[in-house]
Amino acid sequence: RGYRAENTLAGSRLNTSLRDTPASVTVFTKEFLDDIGLNEIEQIIDYSVGAQLNMQDVNASPNANNMLNGQNLVRRIDVRGILSAQGSDFFRSITPNDRYRVGRYDESRGPNGILFGIGNAGGLINQSSILATTHRDSGDVSYQFGSDATSRVEVHLNRVAVPRKLGLAVAAVHQENGGWREPSFQDKRRLFGTLTFTPTDRITFRVMAERGNEYRSVVAPFTAADGPRQLEELRHRLTNPLQPTPGELPRVAATKEQPGRLARPGEAGD
């Protein structure tokens, strides 16, 4: 019913009414995603409760973005300050998510997902794939454009091969997005297909497959640092505590030549 969902699998892996589910669950329906224009899980957290991007700000490591070195293909999300899991049809997935193949998102907050599925202590954000229907044909095409050279085309098509027995659905996306910081960008070309076969009223077989490419350049959310030079200066201070480091000598000379002016890094031959 529009923005309101009535049932979910997130609470117990069974098709249960939300009011009877003993867990904190939020459902983002397809109608809501279409109206707001959300394309990825990272954008949904603005409409969630207690969720935020994991920036490794509580770790000792200075690397604040684990997507830069390819360690994670999907941006991690914290729920209530604890790392959550992300899944596709309640199976663990490392594929970069995209709404073009998603029918709805279910966010289960808290450790309930550990008991019923693949969730972490923070919870589980699951994407349910679109399903082929066997009762009517349908299709749509959408186009998004915006700032930072944003351009995105989605195509959805559902065809009934045998009424009430066999149906096929196909979804595709072509995206070319820039970023507000150079040289970040996110381009993708992906194709998803699903088949539904219902031999009897009690038995249903579903087959899904996806193929595509995604190209992304992520800009570090922190300023550049000269790590080798810092290590060299630290070694010099430990071995020669009474001598100024090489990096300090030019700044001292610049200060003497220009009284009252604080020398900036990189000046006076630094």
Side-chain angles (χ1 to χ4, degrees):
R1 296 182 181 180
Y3 292 180
R4 180 182 177 184
E6 296 183 351
N7 295 355
T8 183
L9 297 174
S12 62
R13 297 299 294 271
L14 300 176
N15 190 6
T16 309
S17 173
L18 278 171
R19 63 181 179 181
D20 296 330
T21 301
S24 179
V25 179
T26 299
V27 179
F28 302 94
T29 63
K30 184 178 184 301
E31 290 77 9
F32 175 79
L33 300 175
D34 290 340
D35 291 348
I36 304 300
L38 305 180
N39 297 323
E40 296 182 347
I41 290 181
E42 292 88 339
Q43 300 171 336
I44 293 178
I45 63 175
D46 293 335
Y47 301 87
S48 180
V49 179
Q52 63 183 10
L53 288 177
N54 180 281
M55 299 296 295
Q56 293 186 326
D57 52 352
V58 297
N59 296 345
S61 173
N63 183 11
N65 194 327
N66 48 23
M67 294 180 64
L68 290 173
N69 54 12
Q71 179 181 353
N72 293 330
L73 297 177
V74 181
R75 196 70 171 269
R76 294 178 178 179
I77 297 177
D78 291 339
V79 177
R80 298 173 177 174
I82 304 176
L83 185 65
S84 66
Q86 298 181 29
S88 177
D89 298 312
F90 295 97
F91 289 93
R92 191 173 297 277
S93 173
I94 62 171
T95 304
N97 66 87
D98 192 282
R99 188 189 62 85
Y100 89 100
R101 54 157 294 179
V102 176
R104 59 186 269 176
Y105 286 101
D106 292 77
E107 179 192 17
S108 178
R109 293 180 291 276
N112 182 68
I114 298 179
L115 302 178
F116 304 99
I118 59 172
N120 289 344
L124 169 67
I125 302 178
N126 178 76
Q127 58 181 18
S128 299
S129 301
I130 59 176
L131 302 176
T133 60
T134 59
H135 57 276
R136 71 182 182 90
D137 296 337
S138 62
D140 64 79
V141 178
S142 63
Y143 176 69
Q144 293 183 8
F145 65 93
S147 58
D148 302 319
T150 298
S151 177
R152 177 185 173 93
V153 179
E154 289 186 31
V155 179
H156 299 89
L157 183 65
N158 187 94
R159 285 293 179 265
V160 178
V162 180
R164 301 186 181 279
K165 293 292 184 180
L166 183 63
L168 173 67
V170 177
V173 61
H174 182 279
Q175 172 179 301
E176 294 183 358
N177 284 8
W180 65 276
R181 291 182 298 181
E182 295 290 346
S184 64
F185 68 89
Q186 184 181 18
D187 299 342
K188 58 182 69 175
R189 300 171 184 84
R190 298 170 63 173
L191 177 66
F192 172 79
T194 176
L195 181 71
T196 298
F197 176 53
T198 308
T200 67
D201 295 339
R202 295 179 177 271
I203 300 177
T204 300
F205 296 96
R206 303 188 191 277
V207 179
M208 302 178 184
E210 184 178 16
R211 182 180 178 85
N213 297 305
E214 183 165 334
Y215 307 93
R216 175 182 297 189
S217 174
V218 182
V219 178
F222 47 83
T223 57
D226 189 354
R229 177 170 176 173
Q230 292 176 356
L231 291 176
E232 177 62 24
E233 290 187 354
L234 177 61
R235 185 193 65 81
H236 183 84
R237 289 181 183 276
L238 293 176
T239 57
N240 303 283
L242 300 181
Q243 297 182 0
T245 62
E248 293 176 331
L249 292 175
R251 286 193 287 269
V252 172
T255 304
K256 293 181 179 179
E257 294 176 1
Q258 304 178 21
R261 180 180 181 274
L262 181 61
R264 300 172 60 186
E267 292 182 340
D270 188 9

